[in-house]
Each structure stands twice: as C-alpha cells, then as structure tokens.
C-alpha cells in the first residue's frame, strides 16, 4: 500500500484537441502501464483512455477515464477528461475529487474558450495545477506568447520552469532552468531521457530566464532572497521546495513544455507532478456536514478514521452499476457495509476494483486518498457514503443548467421500453442530462449542454440498446424576466359553507441580478410568521412557468411588505395560493420580456475563409467581439444567440472546405429583440 504522501490524484484538462489524451497515452507508456503507444486518430486500436466505441468514432474524449500508474516511488491516479464544452460535467466531477491538475495548452493557440471554462472550474475547487504547453513541434509554436496569455486572459501567475531548444519543426528538447541541463528524448518512442550541457547558442538566454525564475520565487521565500542578495548560488532543493509551497497555496502555476505526439518533455512533466502537486494530505482539509448533529465537521485524510467517500461518477455495463469513489477518510474493504447519507439506506460493497480505462484490477482494500470503483451499491452521482455510525454529507458538485432540448419519439412500440430503460440509465450517469415529458404532445424531451451532447446519447441508445427514435427540431431554453418595478396587492377570499380561505398580501417585484430573491419586510405581525415560508413557496411556484410564453422566470426580487389574515380562514395553503396569484398580477405590469441564451463562439479558420465566416456569423444575429491573427490561421470570437447556431457545424464545414473548427459555451442571457419570433 502506497503511503499517503506519495499519492497524486491528478486530472488532465484542456480545450478540445490540445492533446490531452495523447499526453495521457505517453504517461501510461513511460510509467510502464502500457507497452505500445496508440494514437487518438490514425488507425490502430485507438488511445487507451478513449475506450468507448463512440470516442474512437468521433476522435474525441466523451467520458473521463481513470487509471493508476507508478512513477519512481509515487502512485499517480490519473483522470483524462473531455475538452468539448458539451461534456463539461465530466471535467467538473473530476476536479471535485482530484488534488491537482495538469492544464494542457496548445503552443500555437494558447488560451482558448474551453481553457477559460477549465480555469474557472479549477479555481472553484481550489485545485493546484501545472501548465503543460503541448505541440511545441507545430508551425507557429510560441511558448512565451502562451505564458503571456495565461497571465492576461486567466489572471494567473505562470512560472516558466523550462526553456525550449528550438521550436516548430526544429524542436529538439528543453532546458531545465533549475538544474541548467538540456534534456533530450532519444530512442524510437523518446524513452531514452538524456541530460546534457546546454547548447552554447542558448546559454545566455537560459541564464536570463533562470534569473527571472529566481526573481519571481524570491517573493515567496526570505531564505531565497537572502541567497540572491549575497550573490550566492541558490540550492536546487530550496528552489524545488519554494515552487511546491507556492503551487500548493495557488500563488503560482509552474509551466512546462513539450510535444506529446513527438514524445518530448513528458518525463519532465511526470517529475513535476510528483514534486510540485499535492498529496491527499497536503490539500485543505475537506469539510462535511454532520447530519445527526447538524453541524459542519472536518474530515482529515486519516486511514484509521471512519470511512467517508464521495460517489462522483456512475457507469452501467453488462455486469451492473460501477460507481467511482474518492475516499477522503478511513479504509474501504471488500464486503463492507456503507451508509448512503442521502437515502439513509445501507449498501454493501460486493467488489472493489482499481480502474485502468475499461479494465479492472481486484482490490481487497483501499485507504484514504485513493480513487477506486465499487460494484453492487445503489447510489446516484454526488452521494456521500460513510461507514456505519458516521452520518456525514460532503458538498456536491456544481451542475450547469441545460441549454438545448430535443423531442424524441420511439420509432416502434418495441422501442418504447428500450428508450425508457436507456434514458433511466443515462440520467443516473449524467447530471446535466434532463428528461421530461411535453404535457401537450406527450413526447419525451431530453435536455443537455449542446447538440453533440444529445447526439451522443441518441447514438448510444442505438448502439447499446438497439432503440431507434425520431428526433424533433431542437428547442432553446428561453427565460422570462421583468424590466421595471411593479406592486402587488392581492386578496384571496373563498367562502363555501364551512371554513373558508383568506389571505391578503402586498409588496413589490423588482429586477435583480440573481435568479430569485425573497425579502421579508412585513412588520407588526400583519402576516403571522408561520405563513411567511408559505408565501415564499408560492412565489417560487410562480417563477416555474412564465406569463409570456410559459418559460421559467429569472432575475426577480420579491419584497413582501404586508397584508392581513383571518384568525379562522387563514392557513398556509391560502397564503401560498395568494402569493402565486399576486406574483402573476404584478409580473404582468412589470414590463416583462423574453430572454434568449447567448453563446460565446470561437472559430479557428485559415485566413482565406475569414470574410465569409464573419459574414455568416453576422447573418445569425451574431456580434463580433474580437479576432486574433496567427501565422497560419485566424481566431474569430463572437456572441451569437443559441437559436441561430443549430446546424452551424455543417455550414462551417462547407464555408471552409472542412478546414475550420469551432467551439461554443453559454455566455449569458439577453433580451430577445423585437420582431424575432420563437
């Protein structure tokens, strides 16, 4: 069993096509986990971590895959996550349970749209990270420009630990600025890691870069400042220690570089993972909520403490449900009985396994800090599992709202139960997939993060369940809001022989930045305290279905100012109904408008197609917000309504002869212009 301080739980995250999966493949090869390198594209069996048939077909990562490998005396639990924004929940749940991360950036494109999303997720969970500038062999590679974009676009403090020996086609290796040695990667697959003296032509540049590195680090260490002021050589051990401490405090982001595809720089990255990223014991102690005593409590990474684990991912296959767990405290043993604190039911672990992509290695036990998978337990993604006697709940993960909806209909009666079974499984696996029924047509509605997200699930229905469906036109998740203040004064009065219903409320609706705010300003007992929560529930009932087109209402603050009650006829139900009807009365007077989702779109295209692509974006009601001219392509950034983006991938292919690519993510909501129909 690996000791706690030698465990590294890391994720590899980045924009789509930055080379994450290619890098993961090299890590597995150099750590001896696999003996043959497979590529994401280009024949063969496909990359180890992209094991699903659809991943091989599309050449992208869809599910985050987990594996464990050894580098020197360290155990690295590695999760390769998707780069496409439609599968952002896979990144979200991986970062929730990881201790550190490697952010991969393209040496040509630098910080891209999904890099911004990944950065936001890493900051949300306070995950220390390394940056790896990949594709140093590509035309236009410029690591210094990437470092600048990390500083300017992501407000990070990047620290360059290496200097390139050549770039583009002449990229040969890297210079370690701490030891001042040149690193080369020889042999057929770069497995011969050779250190030599720095080439004379780069000696001066490397020394300048090292001085800059030490100067930055001196801000975080008085001892290092002392060495520099005395003009003495700073010991390597001190430099490594200061980098590690500053990385764990999130003060800096160490930057390394290489080319995973050309097998250069990966071993240095593995060294950096073990040297600078945290073990489970180095991270801030996790806080859980003690359900029994109704108070927060700390969960130290102690293998002898009661077990606390988070189920962060579920998959189903022919053997049943497989649940991925991060163990925060205690020791998990095969056959153990655990309490699911959400359902308050006891479950039993029938099998305990360590995952290597889709292969499994049986385990007898696993300690705090481990990422493992278990079989035989019934739970949902985000549930906390504890040993009997403990009753703790860990904070769940952030789940973004869906932005697109499709109506699906089974092609035949035989397909009906298959579709229902498939959707039941998919919803348990993926918190961003929502399934509902259209009350008017009776059709099944599936909502998700984008066209590709839903298309993948429809393909999975066909492949895994042999279920065929008709797919309707996509629908957009519109919202409704108000643009002005409006007062309400509503009296509910019903008399029907016996006890009646009476409730009277007054107040005002105001626009606000939050989705919904409730403010109780009732004084003098005009409405008894026990009826105030019922009023809030009534207002929340009202925002579910809007006044204009029936879409959810957002951006409203409700101020309850007063009212009256009847000692016999008033009750919670009466005030709840009065609040709902009073809200509707005021909403109609508050100048309501429709809001439509706006997408931040980023297109990478060869320069010759820029004009026609810009024109097409403008024809889709897009607003161009910026562009960046690179040596061999141009990046266009625009904000475009989601309703205008359906089918864009097909049109972009024809506009650019298949040479342009695009990505998009939700930017926010804006009022729907007059004259535009839904």
């Amino acid at each position: 069993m690996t000791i706690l301080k030698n465990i590294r739980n890391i994720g590899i995250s980045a924009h789509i096509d930055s080379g994450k999966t290619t890098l993961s493949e090299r890590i597995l090869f150099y750590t001896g986990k696999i003996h043959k390198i497979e590529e994401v594209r280009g024949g063969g069996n496909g990359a180890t971590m992209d094991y699903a048939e659809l991943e091989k077909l599309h050449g992208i990562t869809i599910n985050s895959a987990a594996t464990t490998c050894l580098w020197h005396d360290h155990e690295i639990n590695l999760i390769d996550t998707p780069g496409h924004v439609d599968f952002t929940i896979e990144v979200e749940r991986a970062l929730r349970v990881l201790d550190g991360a490697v952010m991969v950036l393209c040496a040509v494109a630098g910080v891209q749209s999904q890099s911004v999303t990944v950065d936001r997720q890493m900051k949300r969970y306070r995950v220390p990270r390394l940056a790896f500038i990949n594709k140093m062999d590509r035309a236009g590679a410029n690591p210094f420009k990437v470092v600048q974009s990390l500083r300017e676009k992501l407000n990070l403090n990047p620290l360059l630990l290496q200097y390139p020996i050549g770039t583009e086609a002449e990229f040969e290796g890297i210079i370690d600025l701490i030891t001042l040695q040149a690193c080369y990667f020889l042999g057929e697959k770069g497995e011969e890691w050779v250190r030599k003296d720095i080439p004379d032509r780069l000696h001066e540049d490397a020394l300048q870069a090292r001085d800059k590195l030490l100067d930055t680090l001196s801000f975080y260490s008085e001892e290092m400042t002392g060495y520099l002021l005395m003009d003495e050589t700073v010991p390597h051990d001190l430099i490594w220690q200061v980098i590690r401490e500053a990385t764990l405090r999130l003060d800096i982001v160490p930057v390394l570089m290489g080319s995973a595809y050309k097998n250069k720089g990966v071993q240095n990255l593995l060294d950096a993972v073990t040297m600078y990223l945290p073990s489970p014991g180095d991270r801030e102690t996790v806080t859980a909520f003690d359900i029994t005593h109704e108070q927060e409590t700390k969960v130290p990474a102690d293998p002898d403490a009661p077990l606390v684990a988070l189920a962060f991912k579920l998959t189903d296959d022919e053997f049943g449900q497989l649940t991925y767990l991060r163990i925060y405290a205690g020791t998990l043993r095969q056959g153990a009985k655990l309490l699911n604190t959400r359902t308050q039911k006891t479950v039993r672990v029938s099998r305990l396994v360590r995952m290597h992509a889709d292969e499994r290695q049986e385990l007898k036990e696993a300690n705090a800090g481990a990422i493992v998978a278990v079989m035989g337990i019934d739970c949902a993604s985000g549930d906390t599992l504890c040993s009997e006697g403990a009753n703790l709940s860990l904070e769940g993960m952030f789940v973004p709202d869906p932005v697109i909806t499709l109506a699906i209909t089974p092609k035949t009666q035989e397909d009906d139960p298959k579709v229902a079974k498939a959707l039941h499984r998919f919803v348990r696996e993926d918190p961003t997939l929502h399934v509902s029924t259209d009350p008017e047509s009776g059709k099944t509605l599936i909502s998700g993060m984008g066209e590709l997200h839903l298309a993948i699930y429809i393909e999975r229905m066909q492949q895994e369940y042999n279920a065929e469906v008709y797919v309707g036109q996509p629908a957009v998740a519109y919202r409704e809001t108000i643009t002005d203040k409006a007062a309400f004064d509503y009296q509910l009065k019903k008399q029907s022989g016996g006890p009646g219903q009476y409730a009277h409320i007054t107040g005002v609706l105001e626009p606000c930045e939050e989705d919904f705010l409730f403010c109780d300003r009732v004084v003098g007992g005009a409405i008894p305290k026990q009826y105030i929560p019922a009023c809030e529930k009534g207002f929340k009932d009202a925002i579910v279905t809007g006044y204009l087109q029936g879409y959810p209402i957002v951006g409203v603050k409700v101020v309850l100012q007063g009212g009256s009650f009847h000692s016999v006829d008033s009750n919670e139900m009466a005030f709840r109904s009065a609040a709902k009807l009073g809200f509707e009365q005021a909403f109609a007077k508050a100048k309501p408008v429709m809001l439509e989702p706006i997408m931040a779109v980023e297109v990478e295209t060869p320069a010759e197609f820029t004009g026609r692509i810009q024109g097409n974006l403008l024809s889709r009601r897009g607003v161009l917000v910026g562009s960046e001219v690179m040596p061999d392509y141009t990046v266009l950034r625009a904000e475009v309504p989601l309703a205008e983006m359906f089918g864009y991938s097909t049109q972009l292919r024809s506009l650019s002869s298949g040479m342009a690519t695009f990505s998009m993510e939700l930017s926010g909501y804006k009022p729907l212009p007059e004259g535009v129909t839904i």
Side-chain angles (χ1 to χ4, degrees):
M1 191 65 69
T2 311
I3 55 174
L4 193 67
K5 71 181 181 68
N6 285 355
I7 294 175
R8 299 289 179 271
N9 294 317
I10 66 159
I12 297 185
S13 309
H15 187 85
I16 190 167
D17 265 352
S18 293
K20 296 176 303 302
T21 303
T22 306
L23 176 62
S24 300
E25 193 78 0
R26 276 23 179 213
I27 288 173
L28 297 181
F29 179 73
Y30 296 130
T31 56
K33 192 76 181 181
I34 58 174
H35 303 291
K36 181 189 175 192
I37 293 176
E38 296 280 5
E39 303 300 347
V40 177
R41 300 184 180 93
N45 296 320
T48 307
M49 301 294 262
D50 284 353
Y51 56 84
E53 285 302 319
L54 288 174
E55 293 181 312
K56 293 175 183 176
L57 179 68
H58 290 275
I60 59 170
T61 304
I62 294 168
N63 301 299
S64 52
T67 192
T68 301
C69 51
L70 296 172
W71 183 248
H72 303 320
D73 56 347
H74 287 74
E75 177 186 298
I76 300 174
N77 294 314
L78 173 73
I79 295 187
D80 172 32
T81 59
H84 200 288
V85 68
D86 285 14
F87 308 106
T88 192
I89 189 65
E90 291 287 336
V91 186
E92 195 79 43
R93 54 182 163 196
L95 290 176
R96 169 68 181 82
V97 299
L98 294 171
D99 300 316
V102 176
M103 186 177 190
V104 183
L105 300 144
C106 172
V108 184
V111 173
Q112 296 167 275
S113 58
Q114 184 69 1
S115 315
V116 177
T117 305
V118 167
D119 172 66
R120 199 161 51 237
Q121 291 167 325
M122 288 180 181
K123 284 173 178 168
R124 181 182 297 130
Y125 297 115
R126 296 186 55 76
V127 177
R129 72 183 102 167
L130 305 173
F132 182 71
I133 301 173
N134 195 22
K135 303 193 176 185
M136 283 292 297
D137 57 307
R138 267 188 62 186
N142 185 341
F144 308 109
K145 193 173 178 184
V146 178
V147 169
Q148 189 180 338
S149 67
L150 282 170
R151 188 173 285 113
E152 291 173 359
K153 294 183 181 177
L154 302 183
N155 294 316
L156 296 172
N157 186 11
L159 187 72
L160 203 57
L161 304 187
Q162 297 171 343
Y163 196 88
I165 304 174
T167 55
E168 304 181 357
E170 287 161 19
F171 178 62
E172 296 176 46
I174 46 111
I175 296 169
D176 184 333
L177 294 177
I178 299 168
T179 61
L180 281 178
Q181 289 178 307
C183 300
Y184 297 94
F185 308 89
L186 310 177
E188 190 187 346
K189 299 291 183 185
E191 63 273 19
E192 291 177 42
W193 185 20
V194 179
R195 291 177 181 267
K196 295 183 179 178
D197 290 337
I198 299 172
D200 292 340
R201 61 189 166 87
L202 294 174
H203 204 271
E204 197 59 40
D205 292 339
L207 286 175
Q208 283 181 12
R210 188 178 199 268
D211 288 344
K212 204 171 173 183
L213 165 76
L214 296 178
D215 190 44
T216 304
L217 286 176
S218 66
F219 286 104
Y220 307 105
S221 167
E222 288 184 13
E223 189 180 350
M224 187 177 288
T225 307
Y227 276 104
L228 295 175
L229 289 173
M230 299 295 289
D231 208 19
E232 294 177 8
T233 304
V234 184
H236 295 165
D237 286 347
L238 178 61
I239 301 174
W240 291 324
Q241 179 192 330
V242 174
I243 293 172
R244 177 177 173 76
E245 289 169 358
T247 304
L248 299 193
R249 288 195 307 268
L250 308 181
D251 288 335
I252 62 168
V253 176
V255 180
L256 298 96
M257 63 187 75
S259 167
Y261 186 66
K262 291 290 173 72
N263 310 309
K264 290 180 170 66
V266 180
Q267 294 97 322
N268 295 73
L269 177 64
L270 282 165
D271 268 0
V273 164
T274 60
M275 290 167 73
Y276 307 133
L277 289 182
S279 73
D282 293 322
R283 283 301 303 278
E284 297 166 354
T285 306
V286 175
T287 303
F289 184 75
D290 188 328
I291 297 169
T292 308
H293 301 102
E294 295 191 348
Q295 63 184 30
E296 287 196 340
T297 182
K298 296 288 185 187
V299 181
D302 179 2
D304 298 322
L307 182 92
V308 181
L310 181 76
F312 68 94
K313 178 178 165 67
L314 311 178
T315 59
D316 265 305
D317 58 20
E318 66 270 23
F319 303 113
Q321 180 175 302
L322 184 72
T323 306
Y324 286 78
L325 296 180
R326 161 69 196 261
I327 304 173
Y328 284 98
T331 299
L332 178 61
R333 294 180 177 86
Q334 195 166 314
K337 287 186 176 178
L338 305 175
L339 174 70
N340 182 333
T341 57
R342 178 181 62 88
T343 62
Q344 291 296 306
K345 291 181 179 174
T346 302
V347 293
R348 184 178 172 276
V349 177
S350 62
R351 283 176 68 196
L352 176 64
V353 295
R354 173 169 284 146
M355 297 303 296
H356 173 47
D358 60 339
E359 296 168 12
R360 300 166 190 191
Q361 174 196 346
E362 295 282 343
L363 296 175
K364 291 282 183 238
E365 63 174 43
N367 287 350
I371 291 178
V372 293
V374 295
M375 299 191 72
I377 67 171
D378 182 32
C379 68
S381 190
D383 284 357
T384 305
L385 301 169
C386 299
S387 49
E388 292 178 292
N391 194 7
L392 304 179
S393 175
L394 292 161
E395 178 195 356
M397 69 199 109
F398 171 79
V399 179
D401 292 328
V403 295
I404 177 174
T405 300
L406 289 176
I408 59 170
T409 314
K411 285 191 175 179
T412 66
Q413 238 173 338
E414 290 80 49
D415 287 323
D416 211 347
K418 296 179 195 171
V419 170
K421 189 178 177 184
L423 290 176
H424 177 70
R425 171 186 156 191
F426 296 158
V427 168
R428 285 169 67 93
E429 287 180 17
D430 184 351
T432 58
L433 182 71
H434 294 216
V435 176
S436 57
T437 305
D438 186 332
E440 291 179 15
S441 67
K443 289 182 178 175
T444 300
L445 303 177
I446 56 172
S447 307
M449 301 307 296
E451 282 184 285
L452 180 63
H453 186 213
L454 297 181
I456 291 291
Y457 279 114
I458 289 163
E459 283 187 59
R460 283 185 63 188
M461 273 186 222
Q462 294 167 349
Q463 285 195 3
E464 297 171 30
Y465 290 88
N466 200 22
E468 299 283 339
V469 292
Y470 294 110
V471 181
Q473 284 298 308
V476 177
Y478 292 99
R479 298 284 184 266
E480 299 182 18
T481 192
I482 58 174
T483 57
D484 203 358
K485 276 187 176 184
F488 56 85
D489 185 343
Y490 190 85
Q491 189 178 58
L492 178 76
K493 201 172 182 180
K494 287 184 182 175
Q495 209 64 46
S496 54
Q501 291 228 323
Y502 180 86
H504 175 218
I505 57 165
T506 62
V508 66
L509 299 190
E510 300 173 3
C512 75
E513 294 296 316
E514 308 290 320
D515 281 353
F516 174 77
L517 283 177
F518 173 69
C519 189
D520 172 19
R521 292 209 185 127
V522 178
V523 291
I527 299 174
K529 283 288 179 196
Q530 67 264 31
Y531 298 144
I532 301 295
C535 292
E536 185 177 357
K537 283 179 185 170
F539 293 130
K540 285 182 175 175
D541 292 342
I543 66 171
V544 173
T545 309
Y547 175 85
L548 298 173
Q549 300 255 1
Y551 289 99
I553 295 169
V554 295
V556 178
K557 179 181 179 181
V558 182
V559 182
L560 184 63
Q561 295 171 329
S564 60
F565 70 102
H566 188 279
S567 57
V568 176
D569 292 349
S570 288
N571 55 43
E572 287 188 8
M573 186 53 73
F575 273 99
R576 185 168 179 172
S577 299
K580 184 175 188 294
L581 296 166
F583 183 98
E584 289 173 3
Q585 176 197 73
F587 187 81
K589 298 184 291 185
K591 298 180 183 172
V593 295
M594 295 293 299
L595 297 176
E596 62 176 343
I598 304 294
M599 309 304 285
V601 179
E602 190 172 281
V603 183
E604 290 183 13
T605 174
E608 63 263 34
F609 305 119
T610 303
R612 63 176 78 164
I613 290 172
Q614 279 181 333
N616 183 260
L617 287 169
L618 293 172
S619 73
R620 293 170 179 267
R621 295 197 284 124
V623 176
L624 293 169
V625 293
S627 63
E628 206 173 332
V629 179
M630 301 288 190
D632 54 350
Y633 69 92
T634 300
V635 180
L636 300 173
R637 294 184 185 88
E639 291 187 342
V640 190
L642 174 62
E644 305 290 343
M645 288 301 292
F646 296 127
Y648 183 63
S649 54
T650 308
Q651 190 162 17
L652 183 65
R653 261 198 299 273
S654 63
L655 286 171
S656 65
S657 307
M659 295 169 74
T661 59
F662 86 104
S663 63
M664 66 177 186
E665 62 180 335
L666 184 66
S667 168
Y669 281 83
K670 287 186 180 175
L672 188 72
E674 286 184 31
V676 176
T677 53
I678 295 176

